[in-house]
């Protein structure tokens, strides 16, 4: 379940999100410059920067807009991942 980040290099809040990428090996983090890739911003309906998306097979299953502390982001990703695992079992 990849998490996709869609920041602009000029976004100060995005730098804060980038430093919280401690889920390596558990999720795939991808940073996209929406100024250079507006089609992705449109496809995923990005309204704010930063926007974090969790995708499953290319479809968004969770979304979070705005910067947050690293621990908050980790908890959010873990909760979404746990919910997806539970729904696949049931």
């Amino acid at each position: 379940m990849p998490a996709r980040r869609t920041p602009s290099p000029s976004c100060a809040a995005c730098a804060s999100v980038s430093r919280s990428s401690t889920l390596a090996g558990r999720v795939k983090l991808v940073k996209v410059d929406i100024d250079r890739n507006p089609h992705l911003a449109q496809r995923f309906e990005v309204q704010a920067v930063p926007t974090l998306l969790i995708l499953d097979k290319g479809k968004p299953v969770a979304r979070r807009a705005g910067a947050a502390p690293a621990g908050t982001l980790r908890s959010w990703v873990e909760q979404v991942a746990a919910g997806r695992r539970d729904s696949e079992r049931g």
Side-chain angles (χ1 to χ4, degrees):
M1 181 174 7
R4 183 172 304 253
R5 294 180 300 176
T6 53
S8 165
S10 62
C11 174
C14 302
S16 147
V17 171
S18 296
R19 289 189 296 271
S20 67
S21 303
T22 59
L23 295 164
R26 296 172 44 200
V27 297
K28 182 178 181 181
L29 295 171
V30 180
K31 186 188 305 186
V32 177
D33 180 345
I34 61 170
D35 293 331
R36 295 178 126 185
N37 299 283
H39 62 285
L40 288 176
Q42 183 177 8
R43 175 180 172 192
F44 293 108
E45 300 174 352
V46 173
Q47 301 286 320
V49 177
T51 292
L52 286 79
L53 299 172
I54 297 182
L55 307 177
D56 189 7
K57 299 178 184 159
K59 299 200 187 304
V61 297
R63 158 185 313 265
R64 182 180 182 103
T72 301
L73 296 175
R74 275 193 300 276
S75 295
W76 175 70
V77 171
E78 289 168 1
Q79 287 174 353
V80 172
R84 300 292 297 167
R85 283 191 301 269
D86 290 346
S87 68
E88 290 173 359
R89 289 185 204 142

